[in-house]
């Protein structure tokens, strides 16, 4: 095969690909390979370009044995660390000198690495979250069997704590299942016709006892007429329950939580008819550094306070998935000391 033809074949491969012959020089490279490894790489010795020891070793092995080799190439594209699976395959009878050449193909497996890292983190987080109440439960069982065996008042107190811890585990498992369900139907469009103001009114009524216990005044400001939209009423109720509950739990020191409904025929974010529901509190607010990560599973801005209040840190992750399913958006604006505004934008 002529070198021109080889270069043509290499340039047609839809991922970074190059070819190294028995002179150990790169005889062909496509655009993707040049983006990954540098512009003027043809004609250069492969070891000056592929500087990672495991890649050089795989290349040498393939050239020496005239067989195949496989390894990984780690890089960074400026935005994130990238991982490529490198396949070296030997081709007989091609190249500048006779004896053949190695075809090197780089397959981008960054997203796979990323997904399995996320899975590992998730399992680690869940185990940690479950272990904390479990350890407490085991400790109290131990105490009740031993030192506190005949102490009636201690027994009552410990059983109450055990109940609280068991409840926390129960909430966690419930939230995990809920998150799973929401994620699995994220691509199925909701179809129910619903009236938003009534839904918000009844959600607020359910939360009144909590608000009163924290001395928070709850108010609803909505347009006079009905606000109809297509959605899943149970899920939307879950969204607003969590957001209003958060505003009471974490922003309640401001004394008031307002729910504001704004309907527009041409929403700037949705480029069409949409409704915005804002949950506004006057509490301590959230530091800007936390905002981008707030909807991650188990992420808490103030983890001590959240745990103390029985939070699992899954609420906003569930909220985000439900809003995605509704093709909506979630915006969070906050400054330390200035309260927080959570805005849910839903297409109408
Ligand atoms: N209105 C708010 N003001 C201040 N911090 C907030 C507010 N809303 C949420 N946060 C912070 O964001 C974190 C994540 O909230 P999220 O609802 O996901 O979890 P949670 O409330 O801790 O647990 P769960 O909702 O499962 O009971 C909270 O732990 C809290 O630190
Ligand atoms: Mg919450």
């Amino acid at each position: 095969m002529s070198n021109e033809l080889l270069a043509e074949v290499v340039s047609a491969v839809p991922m970074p690909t190059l070819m190294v012959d028995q002179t150990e020089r790169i005889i062909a490279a496509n655009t993707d390979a040049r983006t990954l490894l540098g512009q003027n790489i043809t004609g250069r010795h492969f070891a000056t370009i592929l500087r990672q020891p495991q890649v050089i070793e795989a290349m040498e092995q393939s050239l020496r044995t005239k067989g195949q080799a496989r390894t990984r190439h780690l890089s960074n594209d400026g935005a994130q660390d990238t991982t490529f699976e490198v396949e070296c395959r030997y081709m007989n009878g091609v190249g500048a000198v006779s004896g053949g050449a190695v075809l090197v193909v780089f397959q981008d497996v960054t997203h796979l690495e990323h997904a399995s890292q996320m899975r590992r983190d998730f399992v680690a987080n869940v185990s940690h979250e479950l272990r904390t109440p479990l350890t407490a439960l085991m400790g109290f069982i131990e105490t009740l069997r031993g030192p506190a065996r005949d102490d009636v008042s201690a027994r009552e107190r410990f059983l109450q704590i055990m109940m609280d811890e068991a409840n926390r585990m129960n909430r966690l498992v419930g939230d995990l299942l809920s998150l799973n369900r929401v994620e699995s139907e994220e691509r199925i469009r909701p179809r129910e016709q619903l009236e938003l103001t009534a839904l918000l009114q009844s959600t607020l009524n359910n939360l009144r006892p909590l608000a009163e216990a924290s001395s928070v005044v709850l108010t609803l400001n909505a347009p006079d007429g009905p606000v109809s939209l297509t959605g899943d009423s149970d899920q939307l109720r879950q969204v607003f329950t969590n957001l209003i509950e958060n505003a009471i739990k974490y922003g309640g020191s401001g004394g008031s939580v307002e729910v504001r409904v704004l309907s527009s025929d041409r929403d700037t974010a949705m480029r069409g008819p949409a409704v915005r529901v804002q949950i506004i509190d006057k509490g301590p607010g959230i530091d800007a550094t936390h905002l981008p990560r707030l909807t991650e599973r188990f992420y808490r801005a103030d983890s001590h306070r959240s745990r103390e209040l029985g939070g699992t840190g899954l609420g906003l992750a569930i909220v985000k998935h439900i809003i995605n399913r509704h093709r909506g958006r979630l915006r969070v604006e906050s400054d330390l000391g200035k309260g927080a505004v959570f805005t849910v934008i839903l297409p109408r």
Side-chain angles (χ1 to χ4, degrees), residues 242-243 245-246 249-250 311 315-316:
N242 182 52
L243 293 178
E245 193 183 74
N246 281 353
K249 281 199 301 191
Y250 308 113
L316 288 176

Side-chain angles (χ1 to χ4, degrees), residues 186-329:
E186 195 168 319
R187 303 197 172 280
I188 309 167
R189 287 252 189 158
R191 289 162 184 273
E192 201 182 324
Q193 273 312 116
L194 55 92
E195 205 280 299
L196 193 63
T197 313
L199 188 141
L200 286 169
Q201 193 72 62
S202 87
T203 307
L204 281 168
N205 283 342
N206 290 340
L207 289 166
R208 266 192 218 286
L210 179 71
E212 270 155 30
S214 324
S215 316
V216 171
V217 180
L218 282 182
T219 50
L220 174 65
N221 272 317
D224 285 335
V227 182
S228 334
L229 57 94
T230 313
D232 180 317
S233 58
D234 287 339
Q235 287 193 340
L236 289 180
R237 190 182 292 273
Q238 204 176 348
V239 166
F240 297 122
T241 301
N242 182 52
L243 293 178
I244 300 167
E245 193 183 74
N246 281 353
I248 299 171
K249 281 199 301 191
Y250 308 113
S253 56
S256 71
V257 171
E258 182 194 343
V259 178
R260 201 180 284 170
V261 185
L262 308 155
S263 187
S264 143
D265 287 331
R266 207 177 146 65
D267 190 281
T268 45
M270 306 304 294
R271 297 210 176 86
V275 54
R276 290 182 177 224
V277 181
Q278 297 190 305
I279 292 93
I280 307 161
D281 72 64
K282 304 268 176 276
I286 306 160
D287 193 289
T289 53
H290 296 299
L291 294 183
R293 302 192 55 194
L294 218 52
T295 57
E296 281 176 26
R297 294 151 186 216
F298 299 116
Y299 194 85
R300 299 170 173 103
D302 179 347
S303 60
H304 183 72
R305 180 154 171 74
S306 164
R307 264 177 242 263
E308 195 181 305
L309 294 171
T312 63
L314 289 172
L316 288 176
I318 297 174
V319 163
K320 191 189 73 180
H321 282 291
I322 294 178
I323 295 176
N324 283 349
R325 184 183 173 215
H326 286 76
R327 307 287 189 275
R329 307 252 193 293

Side-chain angles (χ1 to χ4, degrees), residues 126-139:
V126 171
S127 317
H128 175 76
E129 297 288 336
L130 282 171
R131 178 167 285 161
T132 315
L134 196 56
T135 309
L137 278 178
M138 286 162 70

